[in-house]
Amino acid sequence: MRLRLPLLALVGLSTSCTPLPALSQQIFSLSALQWTLRNANGSIAVPGALPSQAHLDLFRAGVIGDPLVGVNEYTQRWVVDDNWTYTADLAPFMHTRTQLEGADEKTLLVFYGIDTVANITFAGRPVAWVNNQFRRYVYDVSELLRSPGGDRNLTIALESAWHYGLNVSQRPDAKYFENARTDNYEYPGVRQWIRKISSDFGWDWGPAFVPSGIYKPAYLVTLSPSPPQPGTPAPPAPPPGSPPSSHSIFLDETSIDIYKRGQTPSAAPDQSADWIVNVTFGVRSAAAYPRPFASLAIPELGLASGSLALGAIPAGVGEATYVSAVWAVPDGAPQRWYPHDLGAPRLYNLSVALDPGGGSEGVRQTIAVGFRTIQLVQTPYPAEEAAARGITPGDQWHFAVNGRAFYSKGTNLIPFDPFYPRIRPEAVRWVLESAVRSGQNMLRVWGGGIYQPSDAATAGGLYDFYAACDELGILVWSELIFSDSLYPTNDFLLASVEPEVRENVRRINRHPSNAQWAGGNEIEGMAMSVGTWGDGRRFLDEFVHLFQDYLYGIVSSETKSVPYTDCSTTNGVLSLDPYVLRLGNGTSGHIYGNAERFNYQASQAFDYDSYPVARFVNEFGYHSMPSFYSWEEVLESPEDFAFNSRAVMSRDHHPPAGDLTWPNPNAAEGQYQMSSAVELWLPTPSTPDANHTFSQWCWSTQVFQAMAMASQIAWYRRGAGMGENNLGSLVWQLNDIWQGVSWSAIEYSGRWKVLQYALAGVYAPVIISAFWVPEMETLTVLATSDRWETVSGTAQLTWYDWRGNTLNSSTTSFAIPTLNNSLVFEGTGLDNILPSGYKAPDVWLLMNLTAKTGGRTVRNEQYFTPASLANATLVDPKIAVAIRDNYTFTLSAKGGVAAWAWLDHPFGTVGHFVDPATGAPTNGFYLIPGIDRTVQFIMNPALSAVRSPDPSSFVVRSLWNNKNVSPQTFSYVPSTRARPRRNSLWIWWLRLIHKFSAIILSFQT
């Protein structure tokens, strides 16, 4: 079928059909053009947009449905196999430039992101062929404008990245990588050959759409060597997000690197030394400027640099000229930037001016910066310190901010959406704020995704990331985009990688939140594992060349403020100067580098012997289902709402298919890993109501995930005071890329999973934790602190039975040294641990901690069950809920203890529950008869489609509901607008009946 819309429809349906502006100074946004998207044979022609991708424009035109709905990941694979071309008539731009035409005028075509392989044609003439999603491309098209070819169009012809990958991997100089040397997903064997988001080709937590398009803003920039004539009307302000420029100068980039005088990667910086502010401009100029200068200032501090001489700027726009200026700022002048849990993330507005001299117009910018040192400490422990502190011999591996070691608490971050142009800034902000609310101080930007943007305006970022982390006080572990594969070192690939890495390192330099650059994700272990196979030594040598020598050389030449390490999981280094990896060169019994843990044997989830004993654990996780509400966003028929339905299993990519077989033939294994964990550790969901059972299954996988991650975090945090001196734990993963099975703590919509609330508890500054070894029948309860000062407080341990009776209670005082633990309780033998006369399934332990730190009182509450909750003698909690103003709910257990009492906010809402007295996130707690819990729902209106939900649409559940659809009692307080509230589960069921009835009716009609 030939699908072509008439020209009038192309204009009418375009998302870029706003009135065309006059040229704003010399910057013209290509979003103002009318774009058409066509496939290779021309059978499809629809309105396009910029920035956009083919899937999004096809969806807007009604050619395909929402890619994330149903099984569209499979049905839309034909989009991947086609080549797509974006074309726009340049006439609107030509019209705006008639008054500026001149023989010496220069016009630049600027792209901030093309995904990924494309031929660019301008005014009928070829401009360039590109093949790197992560680069900025700037071209001089001045002569093409003066003598256009056969048309006046701008055309970007995109080649299928999948087919390009298949072709390039067959080049004579391309080396073959066996499957054992790379992790393969839906589109196998190509991602290491193309500089594109690796997870676009599939991953075990997300879809494989392999999108293509112009995914970031693009511009035409006109420069003139002569300043505007007197009397020339002042131009309007440039479009928002426009690149910095003047009448004659275009800035490719402005890099700001702030470090201590004399700072090197191999030694701790001198904390008393002056700060060095190193500013580098990438300049393209239509005129020559022999004596340009820069001036820098921090008005808030009353500091100004005066004129700082720069190197000469030649007349030329074909390549950027780089010029730098250095300014020394006294150490004590600015306050230091700290992560939010260790101090204030102090920022200053740095005024940056590039003055070409001779009275010509300069370029002025105001850029937020922070002053901090960040160090990745990898040197051996001094023998005296190791002996005094009981530290296991080996190397250190932790971060130090402003000269002080700290505990890194956080998660790993994946791309926010399969399609970059539709990432919502407010959704990103919500994820970052959620990380702060749960006590996290570090996020790792995973090396299989994308270089996250600085902010919405810089380099076409579209949303704030590093700038938001600067503001919020979150450190960012950044990675170059290499992941889970050995990589070729062919010259044609390295020629593209070098400018990619330089551009992104320079761009991110300004951000105090950036903590390090890692060369990639999980590659060192792969290289070491094949080093003994046949020609494996060649692969190991190539790994060392790429990650030890080549990438280290590039990064270290572009920044002095942040460290480099070869991979996310590494054995560390033999030497920092010169930079030499340790690989397998270690002493038995010593500890080096960092570690990760992925163990899907549910029986070992709480087995401490299976946890790594490491200085830092940068990945560990367990997958779970999204909530019933997320499934409602994408499932299309009533029969889909089942744990092992075809639609649900098609969205479980773990373990990955390894090819295009659909549904994933390995999904049953991933589903079993979740279901077996629930069956082993929680009551198995089984009720007469199929939808209720499915909802409880989804939620129960999240409860197990939260239990397993909290157990590991507590163990690793305990390690700060043990021989391993563990100073970091980063959970896999924070966010979701779609609605499906994943390791996330926050669902695609922004809804918090159970894990996210658990993180708020176990990442608190001071926590109480139980460590139970069933084989030895030993229980140890520790208070753990990540504070720099000694923390004193009290811990209360109270045993209950499941009816809510208090069996015994004790209170213990403690004092915790810096980054350490204090023993609260230790016992051996159930007879000595449990209340007299009780068995393990019949009791549980409530652990409460209160302490003073940083001038405030902190509290922590945790739970211990000596037997699996699957075997616990639970009692109907008979939960009653009183509804108060402002979405405040008071929960009361009128029967027994409600284990993991949980509130769900309604479909279409995004927000989180807090304790209204403290503002601390709270959900998923043990509700005890006689001890009511009041929580308030704080809505995020920017992300909520339903902004005034009926309080009766909130849902309350607990583990009791895994086998019982028991009624809860609800009432409104006050009664002025009250009506009896029906069982929330019943209301939820009515909503489903309505939804499904509508679906069935639509099918019938």
Side-chain angles (χ1 to χ4, degrees):
M1 172 182 175
R2 184 175 178 82
L3 181 65
R4 183 181 295 276
L5 300 182
L7 180 59
L8 288 177
L10 290 178
V11 175
L13 291 177
S14 173
T15 59
S16 302
C17 60
T18 53
L20 297 175
L23 182 64
S24 298
Q25 197 169 338
Q26 69 278 12
I27 301 172
F28 183 92
S29 172
L30 297 186
S31 299
L33 299 177
Q34 301 295 321
W35 291 90
T36 301
L37 173 69
R38 290 181 174 85
N39 67 337
N41 65 12
S43 60
I44 298 174
V46 298
L50 190 159
S52 191
Q53 289 168 313
H55 284 82
L56 301 181
D57 289 321
L58 293 171
F59 174 39
R60 281 189 284 262
V63 177
I64 62 174
D66 186 333
L68 295 189
V69 169
V71 296
N72 285 344
E73 181 203 12
Y74 171 68
T75 61
Q76 294 175 6
R77 282 181 175 174
W78 62 270
V79 180
V80 178
D81 288 320
D82 214 332
N83 296 329
W84 298 94
T85 298
Y86 282 90
T87 304
D89 187 348
L90 288 166
F93 169 70
M94 302 293 191
H95 173 71
T96 64
R97 67 185 297 275
T98 53
Q99 58 182 337
L100 299 173
E101 288 184 0
D104 52 0
E105 168 187 294
K106 300 295 182 183
T107 300
L108 300 178
L109 177 61
V110 182
F111 290 99
Y112 283 112
I114 296 177
D115 183 13
T116 292
V117 183
N119 273 300
I120 303 170
T121 304
F122 187 90
R125 301 289 184 86
V127 174
W129 175 80
V130 298
N131 66 341
N132 190 318
Q133 181 177 2
F134 311 122
R135 288 189 58 187
R136 170 188 65 248
Y137 291 107
V138 182
Y139 302 105
D140 180 2
V141 294
S142 311
E143 293 305 317
L144 302 183
L145 278 171
R146 294 188 182 99
S147 15
D151 62 49
R152 294 209 169 212
N153 291 335
L154 173 58
T155 300
I156 297 92
L158 297 149
E159 182 180 350
S160 163
W162 165 234
H163 290 286
Y164 167 82
L166 292 174
N167 291 334
V168 75
S169 64
Q170 302 305 310
R171 283 175 53 132
D173 58 343
K175 299 165 185 173
Y176 175 66
F177 290 84
E178 298 173 7
N179 286 351
R181 293 162 181 162
T182 186
D183 285 350
N184 281 313
Y185 299 91
E186 278 71 19
Y187 290 88
V190 302
R191 60 187 177 83
Q192 61 268 52
W193 297 102
I194 180 170
R195 300 306 297 154
K196 177 174 171 59
I197 295 174
S198 287
S199 59
D200 281 354
F201 298 96
W203 219 264
D204 52 2
W205 36 253
F209 288 108
V210 199
S212 62
I214 312 161
Y215 76 106
K216 288 185 176 182
Y219 300 91
L220 282 163
V221 180
T222 303
L223 305 177
S224 173
S226 304
Q229 295 299 315
T232 302
S242 297
S245 65
S246 69
H247 74 273
S248 61
I249 289 176
F250 173 78
L251 291 184
D252 269 22
E253 55 192 325
T254 303
S255 178
I256 302 173
D257 199 22
I258 299 177
Y259 48 87
K260 286 290 187 175
R261 187 186 297 277
Q263 184 170 337
T264 70
S266 60
D270 178 356
Q271 295 297 324
S272 64
D274 286 348
W275 295 101
I276 300 299
V277 180
N278 188 326
V279 179
T280 300
F281 303 99
V283 184
R284 297 174 193 259
S285 178
Y289 297 107
R291 288 180 295 277
F293 62 89
S295 56
L296 311 175
I298 305 176
E300 183 178 349
L301 298 177
L303 296 175
S305 68
S307 297
L308 303 172
L310 298 171
I313 299 174
V317 296
E319 297 289 340
T321 297
Y322 287 87
V323 293
S324 297
V326 172
W327 179 34
V329 174
D331 170 64
Q335 296 178 31
R336 299 200 180 196
W337 184 97
Y338 282 91
H340 69 93
D341 63 329
L342 297 174
R346 189 68 169 87
L347 296 174
Y348 295 93
N349 287 324
L350 177 67
S351 173
V352 181
L354 169 61
D355 192 323
S360 294
E361 179 189 7
V363 182
R364 286 167 172 75
Q365 305 171 75
T366 299
I367 298 172
V369 298
F371 293 79
R372 62 88 182 94
T373 66
I374 189 73
Q375 184 186 7
L376 176 58
V377 184
Q378 300 184 78
T379 53
Y381 284 95
E384 300 81 5
E385 179 184 359
R389 297 175 57 192
I391 295 175
T392 304
D395 291 348
Q396 304 175 77
W397 209 100
H398 63 262
F399 293 93
V401 63
N402 295 320
R404 303 189 72 176
F406 67 97
Y407 198 96
S408 300
K409 305 178 294 185
T411 51
N412 289 262
L413 193 85
I414 64 171
F416 293 98
D417 195 282
F419 305 103
Y420 185 94
R422 76 171 183 184
I423 295 174
R424 298 174 63 187
E426 58 270 28
V428 175
R429 179 77 183 197
W430 170 249
V431 170
L432 298 179
E433 290 177 344
S434 295
V436 171
R437 291 188 178 102
S438 59
Q440 300 177 49
N441 61 21
M442 180 176 285
L443 297 177
R444 172 178 165 241
V445 177
W446 171 69
I450 194 168
Y451 297 97
Q452 290 293 338
S454 292
D455 52 58
T458 302
L462 295 184
Y463 60 89
D464 293 357
F465 183 79
Y466 283 94
C469 292
D470 294 344
E471 172 198 343
L472 295 170
I474 310 172
L475 285 164
V476 182
W477 166 329
S478 302
E479 292 188 359
L480 308 180
I481 308 303
F482 299 89
S483 182
D484 288 291
S485 176
L486 299 183
Y487 278 82
T489 55
N490 307 69
D491 290 343
F492 73 88
L493 278 169
L494 297 186
S496 179
V497 165
E498 180 176 358
E500 164 201 321
V501 173
R502 292 192 186 279
E503 288 174 18
N504 284 286
V505 171
R506 287 194 294 252
R507 173 177 59 82
I508 294 171
N509 269 344
R510 69 178 63 170
H511 297 288
S513 57
N514 192 31
Q516 77 152 340
W517 281 105
N521 170 66
E522 297 180 321
I523 305 172
E524 181 182 300
M526 300 182 79
M528 290 176 61
S529 69
V530 303
T532 57
W533 302 357
D535 61 352
R537 183 67 206 185
R538 171 172 65 88
F539 291 108
L540 181 58
D541 290 344
E542 290 184 347
F543 165 81
V544 169
H545 170 69
L546 181 57
F547 292 95
Q548 173 187 285
D549 302 331
Y550 189 75
L551 294 175
Y552 171 79
I554 296 172
V555 173
S556 61
S557 70
E558 295 293 352
T559 182
K560 291 185 178 181
S561 62
V562 297
Y564 170 91
T565 189
D566 70 306
C567 274
S568 60
T569 306
T570 176
N571 284 340
V573 298
L574 285 172
S575 166
L576 286 170
D577 187 15
Y579 185 73
V580 180
L581 298 176
R582 178 173 294 280
L583 300 176
N585 300 301
T587 301
S588 178
H590 289 212
I591 300 176
Y592 306 102
N594 57 22
E596 61 181 55
R597 181 187 188 270
F598 290 99
N599 185 330
Y600 300 111
Q601 297 183 45
S603 62
Q604 296 183 16
F606 309 103
D607 180 356
Y608 307 125
D609 288 340
S610 71
Y611 296 175
V613 178
R615 309 294 191 203
F616 197 111
V617 185
N618 63 281
E619 281 192 45
F620 56 101
Y622 207 100
H623 49 308
S624 68
M625 286 276 198
S627 67
F628 192 97
Y629 301 94
S630 282
W631 286 121
E632 283 188 288
E633 296 169 11
V634 295
L635 298 183
E636 297 181 294
S637 62
E639 60 268 18
D640 291 342
F641 289 79
F643 193 85
N644 289 320
S645 72
R646 188 184 191 215
V648 167
M649 291 184 69
S650 74
R651 300 172 86 91
D652 186 345
H653 290 198
H654 169 73
D659 56 33
L660 289 168
T661 304
W662 188 92
N664 176 14
N666 300 319
E669 182 179 346
Q671 296 288 101
Y672 172 75
Q673 290 167 355
M674 291 186 293
S675 63
S676 64
V678 170
E679 291 166 350
L680 185 60
W681 296 107
L682 302 171
T684 301
S686 177
T687 73
D689 185 323
N691 286 307
H692 173 75
T693 298
F694 177 55
S695 180
Q696 290 296 124
W697 264 114
C698 295
W699 175 71
S700 294
T701 66
Q702 294 188 16
V703 171
F704 170 77
Q705 178 193 37
M707 292 168 58
M709 294 307 98
S711 173
Q712 287 192 63
I713 292 170
W715 179 261
Y716 302 140
R717 289 190 64 177
R718 162 194 174 275
M722 308 302 287
E724 59 266 35
N725 191 214
N726 181 299
L727 289 179
S729 57
L730 305 181
V731 175
W732 185 271
Q733 68 201 58
L734 177 59
N735 61 314
D736 255 334
I737 196 170
W738 74 333
Q739 306 91 332
V741 174
S742 83
W743 288 249
S744 73
I746 301 174
E747 299 179 16
Y748 177 74
S749 67
R751 181 181 295 268
W752 286 21
K753 285 185 176 179
V754 181
L755 172 58
Q756 180 66 9
Y757 287 99
L759 293 178
V762 77
Y763 274 154
V766 189
I767 63 172
I768 187 166
S769 308
F771 301 97
W772 169 243
V773 182
E775 298 82 6
M776 305 296 293
E777 290 191 354
T778 62
L779 175 65
T780 303
V781 180
L782 295 179
T784 301
S785 169
D786 64 14
R787 301 294 85 192
W788 282 332
E789 72 275 8
T790 296
V791 174
S792 299
T794 58
Q796 184 176 25
L797 306 182
T798 306
W799 284 98
Y800 290 91
D801 65 16
W802 290 108
R803 294 187 178 277
N805 297 311
T806 303
L807 305 179
N808 65 46
S809 184
S810 62
T811 301
T812 303
S813 298
F814 60 79
I816 313 173
T818 300
L819 293 167
N820 216 314
N821 310 292
S822 181
L823 180 66
V824 173
F825 172 86
E826 191 169 37
T828 301
L830 283 175
D831 292 342
N832 300 317
I833 296 171
L834 302 183
S836 178
Y838 286 87
K839 296 181 179 179
D842 302 327
V843 296
W844 63 281
L845 179 65
L846 172 65
M847 301 177 291
N848 288 108
L849 175 148
T850 303
K852 289 279 190 180
T853 178
R856 64 189 180 100
T857 300
V858 295
R859 294 179 173 83
N860 193 246
E861 178 175 293
Q862 302 292 340
Y863 318 103
F864 165 66
T865 57
S868 165
L869 285 166
N871 302 320
T873 55
L874 299 179
V875 176
D876 185 353
K878 299 178 181 177
I879 299 175
V881 181
I883 303 174
R884 306 178 188 278
D885 290 337
N886 299 319
Y887 299 107
T888 301
F889 306 86
T890 298
L891 280 65
S892 305
K894 302 300 185 182
V897 175
W900 289 93
W902 177 262
L903 283 86
D904 268 320
H905 50 89
F907 180 85
T909 62
V910 175
H912 70 300
F913 292 95
V914 301
D915 179 338
T918 66
T922 184
N923 208 347
F925 43 78
Y926 281 36
L927 183 63
I928 304 169
I931 306 177
D932 295 349
R933 298 292 287 259
T934 298
V935 299
Q936 183 179 12
F937 178 63
I938 307 298
M939 182 183 294
N940 182 325
L943 297 180
S944 297
V946 179
R947 298 185 181 180
S948 299
D950 186 338
S952 67
S953 59
F954 286 70
V955 172
V956 179
R957 68 178 88 239
S958 73
L959 288 182
W960 176 258
N961 298 112
N962 278 12
K963 293 185 177 296
N964 304 275
V965 187
S966 60
Q968 323 293 332
T969 303
F970 298 88
S971 61
Y972 276 91
V973 179
S975 59
T976 53
R977 54 184 176 86
R979 56 179 172 79
R981 180 177 179 181
R982 289 177 281 180
N983 172 11
S984 63
L985 293 173
W986 172 243
I987 292 170
W988 160 76
W989 164 245
L990 288 178
R991 184 163 57 83
L992 288 179
I993 291 291
H994 180 270
K995 175 181 176 70
F996 293 153
S997 297
I999 293 173
I1000 293 169
L1001 180 61
S1002 68
F1003 288 163
Q1004 291 173 340
T1005 57

